[in-house]
């Protein structure tokens, strides 16, 4: 029992005893002494009670903070012990899941329905210590598994916010009003009339499903062990990351794809500026100035740029004509908050001279320029028929993704950035 509760109970007993003694018109000497001792004890207990409440409040805060973070820590611990090879064994041979893998799958099934075995996205991350020296080998001589090459994700580096959604659609009310301040004209004048505060909802809807198919031979299943698990995880993560980067920026909005930021610039209200000039720091500096002029950014360091590798190659050959020459790309990198290069998220240069597109983003007021919603976990399904004759295993991983732009003023598209 808490000390404060014990003190409060004792205080209640003292009040009851005093009530009986105070009601007597002519108390005896013993009763008078008893009243004095009870009164002194009551005053002492009041001081003790305040001290106990202060101490217990600190303990409650510490315990509350521990409870708030305990669930996240426990889930992270479970994910750290998630084994893809158990999932593959369950799909291929009907083995029972056990340990942390079984707990994670049970939690995900309780949160939503899956046709196959749900796999958390965090489990697809490459983990420390998974580099292996063995792979799908010749039994006489072991060779390493060579992972397929995928570019690193650039969406997060451009400030996109990834949002995990359980079910249903999610909307964000975004301010669209232009509230202005004004001055009273004279001693008895009024300030300007109020400006209506308007918002618009930007929604993420589970309308687009992306899938990855993987084919694993019977020989690989029997020989590889942990090496196969690590390779499948990295391969699936890389394939999904590469396609997400492409869809977030270049998605057509048709044929089951989300509407990408660049493709849907007009729909999202993103300013598109035709540069039609050679790539240089001056080209991007003008766009940064436009961000600052509309209060979307306060310094160049608040702005990120997404460029093609060809732009970097071209700018690295251009020197400024000053007393202290410096390459154009170095000048740009020193001023901006970050530069991401991708051949997946941006279309290849075209035309004569060759020209491409660049995208600039900024986070205004803590609001991300792009929202990417992902529904649930990865649904991993086994196809028992396609490779039945060879004893192989075909896996299909499905995930539902959508993207939207909160405020078009936080992005700007530069077209015609010449690299030749």
């Amino acid at each position: 029992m808490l000390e404060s509760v014990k003190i409060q109970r004792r205080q209640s007993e003292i009040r009851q005893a005093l009530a009986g003694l105070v009601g007597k018109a002519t108390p005896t000497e013993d009763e008078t002494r008893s009243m004095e001792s009870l009164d002194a004890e009551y005053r002492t207990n009041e001081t003790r009670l305040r001290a106990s409440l202060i101490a217990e409040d600190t303990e409650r805060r510490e315990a509350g903070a521990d409870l708030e973070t305990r669930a996240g820590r426990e889930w992270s611990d479970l994910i750290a012990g998630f084994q893809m090879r158990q999932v593959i064994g369950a799909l291929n041979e009907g083995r029972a899941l056990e340990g942390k893998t079984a707990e994670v799958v049970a939690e995900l099934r309780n949160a939503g329905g899956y046709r196959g075995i749900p796999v958390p996205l965090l489990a697809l991350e490459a983990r420390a210590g998974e580099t292996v020296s063995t792979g799908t080998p010749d039994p006489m001589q072991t060779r390493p598994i060579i992972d397929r090459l995928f570019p690193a994700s650039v969406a997060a580096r451009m400030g996109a916010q990834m949002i995990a959604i359980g079910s249903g659609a999610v909307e964000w009310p975004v301010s669209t009003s232009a509230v202005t301040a004004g001055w009273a004209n004279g001693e008895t004048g009024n300030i300007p009339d109020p400006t209506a505060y308007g918002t618009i909802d930007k929604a993420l809807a589970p309308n687009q499903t992306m899938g990855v198919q993987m084919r694993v031979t019977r020989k690989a299943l029997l020989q590889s062990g942990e090496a196969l698990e690590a390779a499948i995880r990295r391969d699936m993560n890389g394939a999904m990351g590469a396609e997400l980067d492409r869809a977030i920026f270049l998605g057509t909005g048709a044929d089951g794809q989300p509407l990408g930021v660049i493709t849907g610039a007009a729909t999202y209200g993103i300013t598109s500026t035709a540069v039609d000039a050679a790539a240089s720091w001056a080209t991007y500096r003008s766009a940064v100035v436009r961000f600052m002029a509309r209060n979307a950014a306060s310094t160049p360091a608040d702005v990120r740029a997404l460029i093609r590798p060809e732009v970097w190659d071209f700018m690295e050959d251009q020197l400024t004509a000053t007393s202290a020459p410096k390459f154009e790309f170095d000048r740009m990198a020193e001023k901006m908050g970050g530069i991401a290069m991708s051949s997946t998220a941006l279309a290849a240069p075209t035309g004569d001279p060759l020209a491409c597109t660049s995208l600039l983003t900024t986070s205004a007021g803590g609001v991300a320029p792009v929202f990417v919603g992902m529904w649930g976990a990865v649904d991993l399904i086994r196809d028992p028929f396609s490779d039945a004759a060879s004893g192989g295993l075909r896996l299909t991983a499905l995930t539902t993704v959508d993207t939207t732009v909160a405020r078009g003023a936080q992005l700007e598209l530069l077209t015609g950035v010449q690299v030749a």
Side-chain angles (χ1 to χ4, degrees), residues 85 88-89 92-93 136 216-225 228 232 391-393:
R85 62 177 177 271
I88 295 171
N92 189 50
E93 305 167 8
T136 305
V216 186
T217 65
R218 179 175 176 81
K219 180 178 179 180
L221 288 169
L222 294 174
Q223 285 184 306
S224 298
L228 180 66
I232 287 178
L393 174 64

mmCIF file of all heavy atoms in Angstrom, residues 85 88-89 92-93 136 216-225 228 232 391-393:
data_model
loop_
_atom_site.group_PDB
_atom_site.id
_atom_site.type_symbol
_atom_site.label_atom_id
_atom_site.label_comp_id
_atom_site.label_asym_id
_atom_site.label_seq_id
_atom_site.Cartn_x
_atom_site.Cartn_y
_atom_site.Cartn_z
ATOM 1 N N ARG A 85 13.197 -17.569 -42.157
ATOM 2 C CA ARG A 85 13.290 -18.987 -42.530
ATOM 3 C C ARG A 85 12.157 -19.789 -41.897
ATOM 4 O O ARG A 85 11.748 -20.810 -42.444
ATOM 5 C CB ARG A 85 14.655 -19.555 -42.149
ATOM 6 C CG ARG A 85 14.985 -19.553 -40.678
ATOM 7 C CD ARG A 85 16.340 -20.215 -40.463
ATOM 8 N NE ARG A 85 16.755 -20.193 -39.083
ATOM 9 C CZ ARG A 85 17.454 -19.202 -38.525
ATOM 10 N NH1 ARG A 85 17.786 -18.158 -39.239
ATOM 11 N NH2 ARG A 85 17.811 -19.255 -37.262
ATOM 12 N N ILE A 88 9.273 -19.238 -44.288
ATOM 13 C CA ILE A 88 9.459 -20.034 -45.495
ATOM 14 C C ILE A 88 9.175 -21.514 -45.202
ATOM 15 O O ILE A 88 8.536 -22.216 -45.992
ATOM 16 C CB ILE A 88 10.883 -19.843 -46.037
ATOM 17 C CG1 ILE A 88 11.076 -18.392 -46.491
ATOM 18 C CG2 ILE A 88 11.162 -20.788 -47.195
ATOM 19 C CD1 ILE A 88 12.502 -18.048 -46.841
ATOM 20 N N GLY A 89 9.639 -22.001 -44.058
ATOM 21 C CA GLY A 89 9.378 -23.394 -43.692
ATOM 22 C C GLY A 89 7.893 -23.654 -43.489
ATOM 23 O O GLY A 89 7.381 -24.719 -43.864
ATOM 24 N N ASN A 92 6.304 -23.688 -47.022
ATOM 25 C CA ASN A 92 6.749 -24.762 -47.905
ATOM 26 C C ASN A 92 6.450 -26.147 -47.346
ATOM 27 O O ASN A 92 6.069 -27.049 -48.084
ATOM 28 C CB ASN A 92 8.242 -24.610 -48.169
ATOM 29 C CG ASN A 92 8.743 -25.561 -49.250
ATOM 30 O OD1 ASN A 92 8.161 -25.640 -50.322
ATOM 31 N ND2 ASN A 92 9.811 -26.278 -48.958
ATOM 32 N N GLU A 93 6.638 -26.307 -46.038
ATOM 33 C CA GLU A 93 6.526 -27.636 -45.453
ATOM 34 C C GLU A 93 5.460 -27.746 -44.379
ATOM 35 O O GLU A 93 5.262 -28.822 -43.801
ATOM 36 C CB GLU A 93 7.883 -28.042 -44.844
ATOM 37 C CG GLU A 93 9.033 -27.974 -45.851
ATOM 38 C CD GLU A 93 10.388 -28.078 -45.163
ATOM 39 O OE1 GLU A 93 10.402 -28.361 -43.951
ATOM 40 O OE2 GLU A 93 11.408 -27.866 -45.837
ATOM 41 N N THR A 136 23.852 -20.057 -51.794
ATOM 42 C CA THR A 136 23.340 -21.187 -52.549
ATOM 43 C C THR A 136 24.538 -21.815 -53.243
ATOM 44 O O THR A 136 25.035 -21.286 -54.237
ATOM 45 C CB THR A 136 22.304 -20.710 -53.569
ATOM 46 O OG1 THR A 136 21.303 -19.971 -52.874
ATOM 47 C CG2 THR A 136 21.677 -21.877 -54.291
ATOM 48 N N VAL A 216 12.044 -19.726 -55.229
ATOM 49 C CA VAL A 216 13.121 -20.387 -54.504
ATOM 50 C C VAL A 216 13.127 -21.861 -54.891
ATOM 51 O O VAL A 216 12.105 -22.552 -54.769
ATOM 52 C CB VAL A 216 12.942 -20.238 -52.975
ATOM 53 C CG1 VAL A 216 14.148 -20.800 -52.242
ATOM 54 C CG2 VAL A 216 12.722 -18.784 -52.595
ATOM 55 N N THR A 217 14.259 -22.373 -55.349
ATOM 56 C CA THR A 217 14.343 -23.769 -55.774
ATOM 57 C C THR A 217 14.448 -24.705 -54.577
ATOM 58 O O THR A 217 14.826 -24.294 -53.481
ATOM 59 C CB THR A 217 15.544 -23.989 -56.692
ATOM 60 O OG1 THR A 217 16.748 -23.764 -55.941
ATOM 61 C CG2 THR A 217 15.508 -23.053 -57.884
ATOM 62 N N ARG A 218 14.136 -25.952 -54.814
ATOM 63 C CA ARG A 218 14.215 -26.954 -53.747
ATOM 64 C C ARG A 218 15.655 -27.107 -53.257
ATOM 65 O O ARG A 218 15.914 -27.247 -52.069
ATOM 66 C CB ARG A 218 13.681 -28.294 -54.256
ATOM 67 C CG ARG A 218 13.745 -29.426 -53.242
ATOM 68 C CD ARG A 218 13.097 -30.686 -53.781
ATOM 69 N NE ARG A 218 13.255 -31.789 -52.850
ATOM 70 C CZ ARG A 218 12.490 -31.988 -51.775
ATOM 71 N NH1 ARG A 218 11.506 -31.136 -51.513
ATOM 72 N NH2 ARG A 218 12.666 -33.018 -50.981
ATOM 73 N N LYS A 219 16.627 -27.063 -54.176
ATOM 74 C CA LYS A 219 18.027 -27.181 -53.796
ATOM 75 C C LYS A 219 18.441 -26.050 -52.868
ATOM 76 O O LYS A 219 19.142 -26.267 -51.868
ATOM 77 C CB LYS A 219 18.890 -27.183 -55.052
ATOM 78 C CG LYS A 219 20.378 -27.310 -54.783
ATOM 79 C CD LYS A 219 21.157 -27.344 -56.092
ATOM 80 C CE LYS A 219 22.656 -27.447 -55.817
ATOM 81 N NZ LYS A 219 23.444 -27.486 -57.068
ATOM 82 N N ALA A 220 18.001 -24.825 -53.203
ATOM 83 C CA ALA A 220 18.347 -23.690 -52.348
ATOM 84 C C ALA A 220 17.748 -23.843 -50.964
ATOM 85 O O ALA A 220 18.384 -23.536 -49.946
ATOM 86 C CB ALA A 220 17.868 -22.387 -52.989
ATOM 87 N N LEU A 221 16.503 -24.341 -50.884
ATOM 88 C CA LEU A 221 15.856 -24.534 -49.590
ATOM 89 C C LEU A 221 16.608 -25.531 -48.724
ATOM 90 O O LEU A 221 16.737 -25.366 -47.507
ATOM 91 C CB LEU A 221 14.415 -25.012 -49.794
ATOM 92 C CG LEU A 221 13.409 -23.982 -50.323
ATOM 93 C CD1 LEU A 221 12.113 -24.672 -50.716
ATOM 94 C CD2 LEU A 221 13.131 -22.923 -49.265
ATOM 95 N N LEU A 222 17.128 -26.593 -49.344
ATOM 96 C CA LEU A 222 17.801 -27.642 -48.586
ATOM 97 C C LEU A 222 19.227 -27.283 -48.216
ATOM 98 O O LEU A 222 19.767 -27.783 -47.232
ATOM 99 C CB LEU A 222 17.783 -28.943 -49.386
ATOM 100 C CG LEU A 222 16.407 -29.568 -49.625
ATOM 101 C CD1 LEU A 222 16.532 -30.775 -50.547
ATOM 102 C CD2 LEU A 222 15.751 -29.952 -48.304
ATOM 103 N N GLN A 223 19.868 -26.410 -48.976
ATOM 104 C CA GLN A 223 21.288 -26.161 -48.760
ATOM 105 C C GLN A 223 21.615 -24.879 -48.004
ATOM 106 O O GLN A 223 22.611 -24.819 -47.306
ATOM 107 C CB GLN A 223 22.022 -26.110 -50.113
ATOM 108 C CG GLN A 223 22.214 -27.479 -50.739
ATOM 109 C CD GLN A 223 23.019 -27.381 -52.015
ATOM 110 O OE1 GLN A 223 22.680 -26.626 -52.907
ATOM 111 N NE2 GLN A 223 24.082 -28.140 -52.091
ATOM 112 N N SER A 224 20.793 -23.833 -48.157
ATOM 113 C CA SER A 224 21.277 -22.510 -47.781
ATOM 114 C C SER A 224 21.111 -22.147 -46.322
ATOM 115 O O SER A 224 21.943 -21.462 -45.754
ATOM 116 C CB SER A 224 20.584 -21.446 -48.638
ATOM 117 O OG SER A 224 20.905 -21.648 -49.982
ATOM 118 N N GLY A 225 20.000 -22.516 -45.693
ATOM 119 C CA GLY A 225 19.803 -22.177 -44.291
ATOM 120 C C GLY A 225 19.677 -20.680 -44.062
ATOM 121 O O GLY A 225 18.920 -19.985 -44.722
ATOM 122 N N LEU A 228 20.038 -18.101 -46.966
ATOM 123 C CA LEU A 228 18.867 -17.883 -47.815
ATOM 124 C C LEU A 228 17.930 -16.863 -47.173
ATOM 125 O O LEU A 228 17.380 -15.989 -47.841
ATOM 126 C CB LEU A 228 18.134 -19.201 -48.045
ATOM 127 C CG LEU A 228 16.888 -19.104 -48.925
ATOM 128 C CD1 LEU A 228 17.287 -18.724 -50.341
ATOM 129 C CD2 LEU A 228 16.143 -20.424 -48.924
ATOM 130 N N ILE A 232 16.897 -13.416 -49.031
ATOM 131 C CA ILE A 232 15.495 -13.136 -49.356
ATOM 132 C C ILE A 232 15.062 -11.822 -48.734
ATOM 133 O O ILE A 232 14.383 -10.998 -49.360
ATOM 134 C CB ILE A 232 14.597 -14.295 -48.891
ATOM 135 C CG1 ILE A 232 14.788 -15.500 -49.818
ATOM 136 C CG2 ILE A 232 13.130 -13.882 -48.868
ATOM 137 C CD1 ILE A 232 13.993 -16.709 -49.427
ATOM 138 N N GLY A 391 9.318 -29.013 -57.121
ATOM 139 C CA GLY A 391 9.518 -28.962 -55.673
ATOM 140 C C GLY A 391 9.973 -27.607 -55.180
ATOM 141 O O GLY A 391 10.431 -27.481 -54.045
ATOM 142 N N GLY A 392 9.866 -26.583 -56.024
ATOM 143 C CA GLY A 392 10.295 -25.242 -55.635
ATOM 144 C C GLY A 392 9.224 -24.501 -54.854
ATOM 145 O O GLY A 392 8.110 -24.990 -54.637
ATOM 146 N N LEU A 393 9.562 -23.318 -54.428
ATOM 147 C CA LEU A 393 8.676 -22.485 -53.626
ATOM 148 C C LEU A 393 8.546 -21.123 -54.295
ATOM 149 O O LEU A 393 9.550 -20.477 -54.606
ATOM 150 C CB LEU A 393 9.231 -22.313 -52.207
ATOM 151 C CG LEU A 393 8.488 -21.337 -51.286
ATOM 152 C CD1 LEU A 393 7.077 -21.824 -51.023
ATOM 153 C CD2 LEU A 393 9.261 -21.166 -49.975
#
